[in-house]
Amino acid sequence: MDVETKLNQFREISEKISAYRLALTTLNWDSSTIAPKKGASYRNKMAALLSGELFSIETSPEFIALIDNLSAETLDDITTREVREIKKNLDKSRYIPKEVFIEYAQLTRDAENVWEAARDHEDYESFKPYLKKLIDMTKKVVSYRKDDRPVYEQLIDDFETGITIADYDVFFNKLKAEIVPFLHKIISKKIEQPAWLRQNVSIEQQRQVVEVLMEYLNYDKGSGYIGESAHPFSSHFSVHDNRVTVRYLEDMFTSSIFALIHEVGHATYNGQVDEAYQGRAIADSMTYGMHESQSRLYENMLGRSKAFWSSIYPKVQAIVNNLKDISLDDFILGVNHVELSLIRIEADELTYPLHIMIRYEIEQGLFNGTLDVEGLDKVWSDKYEEYLGIRPPHNGLGILQDIHWSGGAFGYFPTYALGSAYSAQWMSAMRKEIDVDQCLKNNDFKSVNDWLKNNVHRHGGVYQPNELLLSVTGEPFNPQYYIEYLKQKYSQLFEVSE
Amino acid sequence: MDVETKLNQFREISEKISAYRLALTTLNWDSSTIAPKKGASYRNKMAALLSGELFSIETSPEFIALIDNLSAETLDDITTREVREIKKNLDKSRYIPKEVFIEYAQLTRDAENVWEAARDHEDYESFKPYLKKLIDMTKKVVSYRKDDRPVYEQLIDDFETGITIADYDVFFNKLKAEIVPFLHKIISKKIEQPAWLRQNVSIEQQRQVVEVLMEYLNYDKGSGYIGESAHPFSSHFSVHDNRVTVRYLEDMFTSSIFALIHEVGHATYNGQVDEAYQGRAIADSMTYGMHESQSRLYENMLGRSKAFWSSIYPKVQAIVNNLKDISLDDFILGVNHVELSLIRIEADELTYPLHIMIRYEIEQGLFNGTLDVEGLDKVWSDKYEEYLGIRPPHNGLGILQDIHWSGGAFGYFPTYALGSAYSAQWMSAMRKEIDVDQCLKNNDFKSVNDWLKNNVHRHGGVYQPNELLLSVTGEPFNPQYYIEYLKQKYSQLFEVSE
């Protein structure tokens, strides 16, 4: 068989794989947004069966032989990288028995429903046996790989290629050393949270603000959709179909605003990938940290800046009565208010990495055997008390707040902090080439999208984060950008020394 | 291999088939409700690939051998019928090459998007080449069957097992002979359409009315959902997940009301099927006419009766300002107003079969070669002028109004008229056992649902319409019930002789 024939077979199977992925993405979107609860059990079972079908194709002797074979061929650079990425994932899954895979897929779907009910009833005990099963099944699934590294090390690598526990330890220690003392300077100023942040804003008004933001961000409804879900997320269907969800809380209207900007960051990334990569493994970012670097760049570095709001703030004031007498400067101070709080997704930019650190430590403990699901809610609460000086009044505001573990996503959380750090490095590079603040003030968000498209987004999953950072910013990942950004921004906002 | 082993294999493959069906149902629902337009082309291609995957399983040598084999075994009655139904469909599809099947699936998905744009632009010419392709592909797909009957005869049978062109000719001729003169008596009275029918009602108010109806009809949001789409439809995901869509027209608020009642009729049918049939070929009604008999029973025989509205009309009046001074009697006269009109889905109960007759005649002509897509819009308009004395001002109100042909559904339309006729026979049987009007007046819709569940719904697709009609009503299908129902109802409402 010549290379051309092999490549054609490869393309054909890749396209079939994409069809299953789109179906599963659609089923997941449906489940997380509008699907009726009573249909969940049957739907989950069917989705697990379909995941099993996809798994059979991805691990079929035909496809494995093709990938092993193509890995030894000389191909164009893009295809070489595409095949290498597939082979890397294949080496993780090729020895897993299909029934184990289906059992795992079924478990994560069921566990998500159990988690949601447990969170609503603030009842850790009902989720606990599922968390135990999820950890055991994750260990079991990983055990089939020909890889001797500790399980958590492998999980870390699944979400962020090339990163190790040692790397994260260094990163979090640096943050602890530099940011924690700085944070305490701000907290000691005892700045009160502005009252308007928690005043009720109707869902109807919030929807109108979301419309203003969509237009400003150039988020096109013709290739997107804004849904609602308990936990905001973005969903990549294809290059021309990238959807987001928000959650409307009447007593915290900024939640829907920043969730929207965050998720549109993800969606814009996927929407600006080179169309030629559609239906291929490189159509999406290679790592979670890379993806998060875009959503956090949108949400925090752009979305919480004065320049971002300068052209649209009057429109928002006209919609939200409560903001009528709040100046733009006060609005910016408010949306950057720093507080020791309980909920990760509502946390400010500065305390956010501490929320991640707690989850990182717990995950490490669960997988190296120093922690167990029994009493883990207490461990969670103790750590919040230790690091943030605040204890959850119930588990709904504690260990049950995040969806991730219920989906089997262990090792995912630390990519959030890493993504924030990447984004500071991108931002610094972008500022060298375009006057970002001036673009925002001119209501010209397109120029920002264009810079990100040309330098980051269009490459999809072709490059590893460190490769792309090096080629675009001139150096590999350097957390110093993040630390400097945080210190500079917050010292200016709250008049404290760096 | 013993029977037990064969049956286990059969169940396993059936379940897998159900997983693909659920995925395709979800993709279709998504496409017809919220999915962004620009993603349609890729989504359609992927959905067609997935349909091809399902087709491969349904026509795999393994499954064919199993079905042929089980057909010769002695099985329990339910499974015998299940296998027989699958074999009947298999005999239609087993000789179709997979690539032809995928091409057809892809064409129908693309054509739906083209149709939607064509309808919006009132442009038959842009849809015409697709209509031609759809007819040619339908003929091609049917040609692979080992069946010598004319193509349209086979299509008729696909949608309504056991019914022939000759049967429909008899049925429509009877309607023509008995109903057309009766209709003209009513039209000659020149009763004016009440003004409130076309007065604007806000979408928000319509949504509130829909909420009232959902509660009244016992349609549970825990196992359903109300979406929006250009053409209202219901979608069967599983026994505990049956969704409906409506379309809100500000200048015709009764449209969303009766679309909702109609679609909830379909949804209730699927939601009341014996749970043991879930994931099997018998989980859904065997024929389209049977399904339509339930939706039309809800929409017309119940939904347009005075008894139906007596307990909820005050609530509706409190929501819809325009109805404040309209008595219940006048409301009932209004929602049963008879008019020679252009749009099938907005047509009254009495003229409705004429709309169907036009489509039936055109479909017959397209497949027996006496009609061609060229100039078909004129043929359509001529027939409306001939039978209904009214000519569409443009094709958006003419040949482009229905979605069916764009999905390749030729032979579907006549089941609507047949379903209406079945429903009169069910209604007559139900009235012999429960006091339907009293139940409705008592706000006790559950008793109606229960009767239908016990006598019709729970059986799913186990029986053919004629079998079930015979066992429940004591006789096979008899159109006389329908004719008597129509004459009696409309002669009383508008004071004309039968």
Side-chain angles (χ1 to χ4, degrees):
Chain A
M1 195 161 50
D2 64 7
V3 183
E4 208 47 49
T5 312
K6 282 183 216 164
L7 277 174
N8 284 340
Q9 282 192 6
F10 169 63
R11 294 270 169 258
E12 200 177 301
I13 301 176
S14 295
E15 203 164 49
K16 200 193 278 185
I17 288 171
S18 295
Y20 284 86
R21 291 230 171 104
L22 181 70
L24 289 165
T25 299
T26 308
L27 282 163
N28 283 338
W29 165 273
D30 184 69
S31 278
S32 303
T33 52
I34 63 161
K37 293 279 165 274
K38 292 181 188 169
S41 155
Y42 179 78
R43 192 166 57 243
N44 292 347
K45 192 176 166 189
M46 294 299 113
L49 270 179
L50 208 67
S51 299
E53 292 286 289
L54 170 57
F55 181 80
S56 291
I57 297 169
E58 287 178 322
T59 57
S60 65
E62 183 195 2
F63 194 57
I64 288 178
L66 208 50
I67 293 299
D68 285 346
N69 213 303
L70 281 172
S71 297
E73 295 279 359
T74 307
L75 306 166
D76 69 88
D77 182 47
I78 301 289
T79 310
T80 302
R81 288 165 177 275
E82 184 184 6
V83 170
R84 189 196 300 152
E85 185 64 14
I86 293 170
K87 181 159 163 49
K88 203 189 85 188
N89 288 321
L90 193 55
D91 287 342
K92 289 178 191 167
S93 58
R94 64 207 293 175
Y95 308 111
I96 304 172
K98 186 177 174 187
E99 61 276 16
V100 173
F101 180 82
I102 292 181
E103 193 188 341
Y104 178 70
Q106 169 81 51
L107 173 64
T108 58
R109 281 166 199 282
D110 289 342
E112 271 195 30
N113 294 106
V114 172
W115 162 76
E116 205 177 328
R119 184 202 54 186
D120 292 348
H121 298 103
E122 306 163 4
D123 174 25
Y124 172 67
E125 293 305 308
S126 66
F127 182 55
K128 193 177 68 182
Y130 279 84
L131 183 56
K132 176 93 178 83
K133 273 188 248 175
L134 285 160
I135 294 164
D136 291 345
M137 273 301 290
T138 300
K139 286 180 183 167
K140 185 172 174 181
V141 165
V142 168
S143 73
Y144 290 102
R145 302 178 186 175
K146 309 257 181 253
D147 191 330
D148 292 334
R149 293 176 297 166
V151 172
Y152 193 56
E153 187 83 293
Q154 296 184 52
L155 296 174
I156 289 286
D157 190 60
D158 290 349
F159 288 99
E160 201 65 25
T161 303
I163 296 285
T164 62
I165 292 177
D167 293 332
Y168 272 133
D169 285 346
V170 167
F171 172 59
F172 283 115
N173 285 335
K174 198 170 176 67
L175 278 174
K176 233 189 279 190
E178 300 242 24
I179 296 301
V180 172
F182 177 69
L183 169 66
H184 284 136
K185 282 189 206 168
I186 293 174
I187 294 298
S188 69
K189 292 195 80 176
K190 296 188 194 304
I191 301 159
E192 269 192 46
Q193 188 189 57
W196 56 265
L197 268 176
R198 291 305 189 121
Q199 276 163 1
N200 272 17
V201 174
S202 75
I203 290 172
E204 186 43 41
Q205 286 181 4
Q206 294 188 43
R207 282 191 215 276
Q208 290 172 34
V209 174
V210 158
E211 290 288 325
V212 169
L213 283 166
M214 273 173 53
E215 200 190 327
Y216 177 62
L217 295 167
N218 290 263
Y219 180 68
D220 172 13
K221 274 190 187 169
S223 53
Y225 183 82
I226 299 180
E228 287 180 50
S229 63
H231 190 103
F233 66 94
S234 73
S235 204
H236 166 54
F237 290 70
S238 69
V239 69
H240 296 302
D241 183 355
N242 291 289
R243 310 184 197 171
V244 303
T245 69
V246 293
R247 180 171 58 156
Y248 295 105
L249 301 170
E250 289 206 325
D251 62 350
M252 195 169 18
F253 76 102
T254 52
S255 171
S256 63
I257 289 177
F258 291 100
L260 182 88
I261 303 172
H262 180 102
E263 302 306 340
V264 166
H266 285 300
T268 305
Y269 187 173
N270 284 121
Q272 297 204 119
V273 169
D274 190 331
E275 198 167 350
Y277 301 165
Q278 184 154 265
R280 297 166 66 179
I282 49 175
D284 202 354
S285 148
M286 188 177 284
T287 75
Y288 285 71
M290 261 306 291
H291 232 303
E292 203 64 14
S293 78
Q294 301 308 298
S295 56
R296 294 202 172 259
L297 191 153
Y298 276 65
E299 179 193 347
N300 292 327
M301 294 179 191
L302 302 172
R304 293 183 199 268
S305 74
K306 187 174 171 183
F308 181 95
W309 289 93
S310 56
S311 70
I312 53 169
Y313 189 62
K315 283 189 207 171
V316 174
Q317 277 184 309
I319 295 166
V320 181
N321 307 330
N322 299 351
L323 293 177
K324 218 174 48 194
D325 299 322
I326 309 301
S327 71
L328 177 55
D329 282 323
D330 284 340
F331 179 74
I332 296 303
L333 277 177
V335 301
N336 286 292
H337 179 71
V338 176
E339 198 169 55
L340 304 176
S341 65
L342 291 170
I343 301 291
R344 179 184 62 83
I345 60 164
E346 310 296 355
D348 57 82
E349 201 178 354
L350 205 55
T351 53
Y352 189 85
L354 297 182
H355 290 261
I356 298 302
M357 203 168 62
I358 290 170
R359 288 152 177 80
Y360 173 67
E361 290 180 6
I362 289 177
E363 287 184 344
Q364 260 193 297
L366 286 171
F367 283 91
N368 69 20
T370 56
L371 286 176
D372 184 75
V373 298
E374 194 60 48
L376 196 69
D377 52 341
K378 194 179 164 297
V379 173
W380 177 287
S381 300
D382 289 347
K383 284 190 185 283
Y384 263 80
E385 196 152 9
E386 183 186 346
Y387 296 121
L388 289 154
I390 180 171
R391 197 175 181 86
H394 58 74
N395 289 324
L397 295 173
I399 194 168
L400 294 173
Q401 67 184 270
D402 293 307
I403 195 172
H404 303 62
W405 292 344
S406 75
F410 301 101
Y412 186 161
F413 282 122
T415 68
Y416 288 141
L418 190 66
S420 300
Y422 288 161
S423 66
Q425 195 165 339
W426 295 125
M427 197 69 197
S428 163
M430 178 158 57
R431 285 197 191 279
K432 284 179 193 148
E433 295 187 15
I434 62 171
D435 187 341
V436 175
D437 290 348
Q438 200 53 53
C439 292
L440 298 178
K441 283 176 192 159
N442 294 346
N443 201 349
D444 170 27
F445 203 86
K446 186 173 180 301
S447 293
V448 173
N449 282 341
D450 285 349
W451 189 91
L452 289 167
K453 176 178 183 169
N454 291 330
N455 291 280
V456 184
H457 298 175
R458 70 183 169 93
H459 300 297
V462 172
Y463 304 107
Q464 287 194 12
N466 260 331
E467 288 178 304
L468 199 59
L469 280 164
L470 181 60
S471 109
V472 174
T473 75
E475 55 184 317
F477 171 55
N478 178 352
Q480 205 53 39
Y481 287 99
Y482 182 45
I483 285 159
E484 276 163 22
Y485 156 78
L486 288 175
K487 284 191 172 180
Q488 198 188 346
K489 172 175 173 177
Y490 286 90
S491 63
Q492 278 178 9
L493 274 174
F494 298 107
E495 295 165 356
V496 295
S497 63
E498 292 186 16
Chain B
M1 194 160 50
D2 64 7
V3 182
E4 207 47 48
T5 312
K6 281 184 215 162
L7 277 174
N8 284 340
Q9 282 193 5
F10 169 63
R11 294 271 169 256
E12 201 177 301
I13 300 176
S14 294
E15 202 164 51
K16 200 193 279 186
I17 287 170
S18 295
Y20 283 86
R21 290 228 173 106
L22 181 69
L24 290 164
T25 299
T26 308
L27 282 163
N28 283 339
W29 164 272
D30 185 70
S31 278
S32 304
T33 53
I34 63 161
K37 293 277 165 275
K38 292 181 189 167
S41 155
Y42 179 79
R43 191 167 56 242
N44 291 347
K45 191 174 166 193
M46 294 299 112
L49 270 179
L50 208 67
S51 298
E53 292 286 289
L54 170 58
F55 181 79
S56 291
I57 297 169
E58 287 178 324
T59 57
S60 65
E62 182 195 1
F63 194 56
I64 289 179
L66 208 50
I67 293 299
D68 286 346
N69 213 304
L70 282 172
S71 297
E73 295 280 359
T74 307
L75 306 166
D76 68 88
D77 182 48
I78 301 289
T79 310
T80 302
R81 288 165 176 276
E82 184 183 6
V83 171
R84 189 196 300 153
E85 185 65 12
I86 293 171
K87 183 161 162 49
K88 203 189 88 189
N89 289 320
L90 193 55
D91 287 341
K92 289 177 190 168
S93 57
R94 66 206 293 175
Y95 308 110
I96 304 172
K98 186 177 173 185
E99 61 275 16
V100 172
F101 180 81
I102 292 182
E103 192 188 342
Y104 177 71
Q106 170 81 50
L107 173 64
T108 58
R109 280 166 199 282
D110 289 342
E112 271 195 29
N113 294 106
V114 172
W115 162 76
E116 205 177 327
R119 184 202 55 185
D120 292 348
H121 298 103
E122 306 162 3
D123 175 26
Y124 173 66
E125 293 306 308
S126 67
F127 182 56
K128 193 176 68 181
Y130 279 83
L131 183 56
K132 175 94 178 82
K133 273 187 248 175
L134 285 160
I135 294 164
D136 290 345
M137 272 302 290
T138 300
K139 286 180 183 167
K140 185 171 174 182
V141 166
V142 168
S143 73
Y144 290 101
R145 301 178 187 175
K146 309 257 180 256
D147 191 331
D148 293 334
R149 292 175 299 165
V151 172
Y152 193 57
E153 187 83 291
Q154 295 184 55
L155 295 173
I156 288 287
D157 189 60
D158 290 349
F159 288 100
E160 200 65 25
T161 303
I163 296 286
T164 63
I165 292 177
D167 293 331
Y168 273 133
D169 284 346
V170 167
F171 173 58
F172 282 115
N173 285 336
K174 195 169 178 68
L175 278 174
K176 232 189 283 191
E178 301 243 24
I179 296 302
V180 172
F182 177 69
L183 169 67
H184 285 139
K185 281 191 209 167
I186 293 175
I187 294 298
S188 68
K189 292 195 79 175
K190 296 190 196 300
I191 301 160
E192 268 193 47
Q193 189 190 56
W196 57 264
L197 268 176
R198 292 303 191 124
Q199 276 164 0
N200 271 18
V201 175
S202 75
I203 290 171
E204 186 43 41
Q205 285 181 4
Q206 294 188 43
R207 281 190 216 278
Q208 289 173 36
V209 174
V210 159
E211 290 288 324
V212 169
L213 283 166
M214 272 173 54
E215 202 191 325
Y216 177 60
L217 295 166
N218 290 265
Y219 180 67
D220 171 14
K221 273 190 186 169
S223 53
Y225 183 83
I226 298 180
E228 287 180 50
S229 64
H231 189 103
F233 66 96
S234 73
S235 203
H236 167 53
F237 290 70
S238 69
V239 69
H240 296 302
D241 183 356
N242 291 289
R243 309 184 197 173
V244 303
T245 70
V246 294
R247 180 170 57 157
Y248 295 104
L249 302 170
E250 289 206 325
D251 62 351
M252 194 169 17
F253 76 102
T254 51
S255 170
S256 62
I257 289 178
F258 291 100
L260 181 89
I261 303 172
H262 179 102
E263 302 306 341
V264 165
H266 285 300
T268 305
Y269 187 174
N270 284 121
Q272 297 203 122
V273 169
D274 190 330
E275 197 168 349
Y277 301 165
Q278 182 153 265
R280 297 165 67 178
I282 49 176
D284 203 353
S285 146
M286 187 177 283
T287 76
Y288 285 72
M290 260 306 291
H291 233 303
E292 204 63 15
S293 77
Q294 300 309 297
S295 56
R296 295 202 172 259
L297 191 153
Y298 276 66
E299 178 193 349
N300 293 328
M301 295 181 189
L302 302 172
R304 293 181 199 269
S305 74
K306 188 174 171 184
F308 181 94
W309 290 93
S310 56
S311 70
I312 53 169
Y313 189 62
K315 283 188 206 170
V316 175
Q317 277 183 310
I319 296 167
V320 181
N321 307 331
N322 301 350
L323 292 177
K324 217 173 49 193
D325 299 323
I326 309 300
S327 71
L328 176 55
D329 282 324
D330 283 341
F331 178 74
I332 295 304
L333 276 177
V335 301
N336 285 292
H337 179 71
V338 177
E339 197 169 56
L340 304 176
S341 66
L342 290 171
I343 301 291
R344 178 183 62 83
I345 60 165
E346 309 296 355
D348 57 81
E349 201 179 353
L350 204 56
T351 52
Y352 189 85
L354 298 184
H355 290 262
I356 297 303
M357 203 168 63
I358 289 170
R359 287 152 178 80
Y360 173 67
E361 288 179 8
I362 289 177
E363 287 184 344
Q364 260 194 298
L366 286 170
F367 282 90
N368 68 22
T370 56
L371 285 176
D372 185 73
V373 298
E374 194 61 49
L376 197 69
D377 52 339
K378 193 179 166 295
V379 173
W380 178 287
S381 299
D382 289 347
K383 283 190 186 283
Y384 263 81
E385 196 153 10
E386 183 186 346
Y387 294 120
L388 288 154
I390 179 170
R391 195 172 183 87
H394 60 73
N395 289 325
L397 295 174
I399 193 168
L400 294 173
Q401 69 185 268
D402 292 308
I403 197 173
H404 303 63
W405 292 344
S406 75
F410 301 101
Y412 186 161
F413 282 122
T415 68
Y416 287 141
L418 190 66
S420 300
Y422 288 161
S423 65
Q425 195 164 338
W426 293 126
M427 197 68 197
S428 162
M430 179 158 57
R431 284 197 192 280
K432 283 178 193 148
E433 294 187 15
I434 61 171
D435 187 340
V436 176
D437 291 348
Q438 200 54 51
C439 292
L440 298 178
K441 282 176 193 161
N442 294 346
N443 201 349
D444 170 26
F445 203 86
K446 187 174 179 300
S447 293
V448 173
N449 282 341
D450 284 349
W451 189 91
L452 290 166
K453 176 178 182 169
N454 291 330
N455 290 280
V456 184
H457 299 175
R458 70 183 170 93
H459 299 298
V462 171
Y463 304 107
Q464 287 194 12
N466 259 333
E467 288 178 304
L468 200 59
L469 280 164
L470 180 60
S471 110
V472 175
T473 75
E475 56 184 317
F477 172 55
N478 178 352
Q480 205 52 39
Y481 287 99
Y482 183 44
I483 284 158
E484 275 165 22
Y485 156 78
L486 287 175
K487 284 191 171 177
Q488 197 189 344
K489 171 175 173 176
Y490 285 90
S491 62
Q492 277 178 8
L493 274 173
F494 298 108
E495 295 164 357
V496 296
S497 63
E498 292 188 17

